[in-house]
Amino acid sequence: MEKLAKLKERKEQIIARKEHYYPKYEKHLLNQYLEYKGNIRVFVRVRPILSQDFKAYGGTQESFDVIQKAIQALNNSQLSIELEKSPPQTFNFDAVFGPQSTQDQVYAEVKHLIQSFLDGNDVSIFAYGQTGSGKTYTMGTEMSKQTSQGNQGIIPRAVRQVFGEIQGRKDQVQEGQEEAKEAREDGMRVSVQEIYMDSIRDLLNLQNVITQNNAISKYEPESITVTNEAQVFTLLRKAENNRVVAETMCNERSSRSHSILQIKLGKATLNLIDLAGSERLNTTKVEGDRQKETLAINKSLSALADVISAMKEGRFVPYRNSKLTQLLQIYLGSSSAKTLMIVNLNPISLNESLCSLRFAAKVNSCSA
Ligand SMILES: Nc1ncnc2c1ncn2[C@@H]1O[C@H](COP(=O)(O)OP(=O)(O)O)[C@@H](O)[C@H]1O
Ligand SMILES: [Mg+2]
């Protein structure tokens, strides 16, 4: 415990400098900190109550104040939730972000995972939660929205950090430093995919589709080499447009599908995943295709929880139960891989929030 506290202190000093490039001994220290904390981490983030909620739910400021108090960050690792007529329940996390938390604060905890990817390890970051809980806001998936830099989510910040590192390595090559000799020459490659109803679609090449019936082993998404941020954003916009083409069959497709941005550098892969909405099936309201959709989503999300908890406990890992886990198997399963699950909560929906917290507890087997 004491070692972790010391490492954490050093880590905080290092990341406080807000640099994009770290010397080797500091990288080693950051990696040691991550390894010490374990390779699977779970964060929770509660989004604030927004003015649009007043319209949608018709509540008053006072009633929302009461709701906001029902979910409380007790400190930076514990969150409590209190539903009507039951005692408060507490859940443990590697980090807790309350409604006032900023994108900067979230990224400060994500940054060293991106550094770990830059050091050659596979890293996967998932945003989980019901529709409207803040997954896309946290992940920064919606590139077509003009967002000020301070409000940007994880994706644009991660892209910037990766390019910062690539530039740092180039500068070192010019200065002839030894470490730079290890620097990989190849550039950054990007692919964008979605999984909808257990079919994988390559959003940079719509011809490339894997349905329930054809083999995932032959599938390889289009992977495009990029040399600057603008090119990444152009690809993300192309992916969004392609998704809109596919969407005509189904409204709100983006919240009903898993969206996967992959960034590759050398042999390592960074997966940034905005998961489909986790809302439960309300059998009185939902039928037909919508019901099938929800069942497919629930199945793949529980397959994901099973995979992560099995990895954590060192049990046999059941990757084959969903396309999502099959697609990610090679990254989640490698020995130095790191996984982060960010559970997003909408404080207005306490019942859904409790379900999300139970999901988090399952993923984080020692934490409920
Ligand atoms: N931490 C936050 N601070 C301010 N607004 C937020 C925050 N999280 C989410 N929102 C807003 O809440 C709404 C729903 O968030 P969104 O990310 O689209 O949810 P999801 O992707 O889970 O469906 C959006 O209008 C978004 O801008
Ligand atoms: Mg979303």
Side-chain angles (χ1 to χ4, degrees):
M1 206 60 218
E2 201 181 311
K3 175 156 189 198
L4 181 61
K6 261 190 204 144
L7 281 169
K8 188 166 187 197
E9 192 185 325
R10 277 295 287 136
K11 174 212 86 174
E12 270 156 17
Q13 289 165 356
I14 293 170
I15 64 175
R17 299 204 314 266
K18 295 192 174 207
E19 276 169 33
H20 283 310
Y21 188 73
Y22 304 105
K24 195 168 190 172
Y25 72 96
E26 290 190 342
K27 279 185 198 164
H28 177 69
L29 204 138
L30 290 173
N31 219 34
Q32 238 191 333
Y33 169 74
L34 287 181
E35 270 159 25
Y36 212 77
K37 285 192 83 172
N39 286 336
I40 296 167
R41 250 140 300 144
V42 186
F43 294 176
V44 68
R45 185 181 201 184
V46 186
R47 80 152 167 81
I49 292 174
L50 307 161
S51 57
Q52 66 217 49
D53 296 326
F54 289 91
K55 289 195 202 101
Y57 298 89
T60 61
Q61 179 65 53
E62 291 73 38
S63 65
F64 283 123
D65 285 348
V66 172
I67 291 167
Q68 192 87 75
K69 286 201 186 88
I71 298 184
Q72 292 268 3
L74 300 178
N75 50 49
N76 54 20
S77 66
Q78 287 186 307
L79 185 96
S80 83
I81 181 167
E82 186 168 3
L83 269 71
E84 238 184 302
K85 297 186 193 122
S86 34
Q89 298 178 59
T90 302
F91 292 83
N92 294 318
F93 290 92
D94 296 291
V96 174
F97 299 97
Q100 313 305 331
S101 63
T102 63
Q103 301 282 62
D104 273 344
Q105 286 167 334
V106 172
Y107 200 69
E109 290 296 325
V110 168
K111 194 174 181 172
H112 29 288
L113 278 167
I114 308 300
Q115 185 60 51
S116 177
F117 157 67
L118 292 169
D119 294 341
N121 305 305
D122 292 330
V123 172
S124 300
I125 302 176
F126 297 89
Y128 177 95
Q130 67 175 123
T131 299
S133 61
K135 295 182 296 299
T136 301
Y137 182 88
T138 296
M139 206 49 119
T141 311
E142 260 168 40
M143 304 313 306
S144 56
K145 267 193 194 167
Q146 288 298 322
T147 314
S148 70
Q149 200 149 320
N151 280 330
Q152 281 179 341
I154 291 171
I155 290 172
R157 289 169 194 255
V159 165
R160 210 165 300 128
Q161 188 177 341
V162 173
F163 281 119
E165 167 92 8
I166 293 171
Q167 190 55 49
R169 286 176 188 174
K170 276 191 197 145
D171 295 349
Q172 287 207 333
V173 170
Q174 276 160 10
E175 288 161 24
Q177 287 185 19
E178 200 194 320
E179 187 186 347
K181 290 191 191 122
E182 295 170 19
R184 292 159 291 225
E185 284 295 287
D186 51 351
M188 163 175 164
R189 286 154 292 142
V190 169
S191 49
V192 192
Q193 300 160 86
E194 72 165 5
I195 301 180
Y196 174 71
M197 294 284 277
D198 228 25
S199 294
I200 302 173
R201 187 183 304 270
D202 182 346
L203 290 179
L204 297 181
N205 176 3
L206 285 177
Q207 253 72 60
N208 212 354
V209 184
I210 294 292
T211 62
Q212 282 88 336
N213 305 321
N214 47 16
I216 196 170
S217 54
K218 294 184 199 122
Y219 166 78
E220 186 72 52
E222 192 103 1
S223 174
I224 298 184
T225 301
V226 288
T227 52
N228 58 52
E229 277 174 47
Q231 287 174 350
V232 180
F233 300 141
T234 303
L235 289 178
L236 285 166
R237 268 192 296 274
K238 177 178 176 184
E240 256 180 60
N241 290 338
N242 276 340
R243 168 183 256 161
V244 171
V245 171
E247 217 167 51
T248 50
M249 299 295 289
C250 157
N251 292 326
E252 301 170 56
R253 169 84 165 248
S254 68
S255 63
R256 312 301 292 161
S257 64
H258 308 302
S259 152
I260 304 165
L261 169 65
Q262 271 181 348
I263 295 175
K264 289 177 187 274
L265 191 67
K267 288 190 177 70
T269 300
L270 171 65
N271 295 300
L272 299 163
I273 302 139
D274 188 339
L275 290 167
S278 62
E279 47 275 11
R280 289 159 307 161
L281 191 60
N282 182 341
T283 41
T284 56
K285 283 194 202 145
V286 181
E287 51 191 26
D289 287 348
R290 199 62 191 239
Q291 188 165 19
K292 279 189 209 140
E293 250 181 20
T294 305
L295 289 172
I297 294 168
N298 289 353
K299 188 172 157 249
S300 64
L301 292 174
S302 75
L304 179 63
D306 289 342
V307 159
I308 298 177
S309 64
M311 280 161 43
K312 196 149 186 167
E313 290 168 8
R315 286 186 280 118
F316 171 76
V317 183
Y319 289 109
R320 300 204 59 82
N321 293 341
S322 73
K323 284 284 189 306
L324 177 66
T325 49
Q326 283 178 57
L327 182 73
L328 296 175
Q329 171 167 7
I330 51 170
Y331 312 112
L332 297 174
S334 70
S335 61
S336 61
K338 295 181 173 67
T339 301
L340 169 64
M341 176 73 67
I342 305 176
V343 174
N344 294 270
L345 303 181
N346 175 352
I348 306 253
S349 318
L350 287 177
N351 283 312
E352 284 291 347
S353 293
L354 184 59
C355 287
S356 294
L357 290 167
R358 292 203 177 115
F359 173 91
K362 185 172 180 190
V363 164
N364 212 359
S365 34
C366 48
S367 131

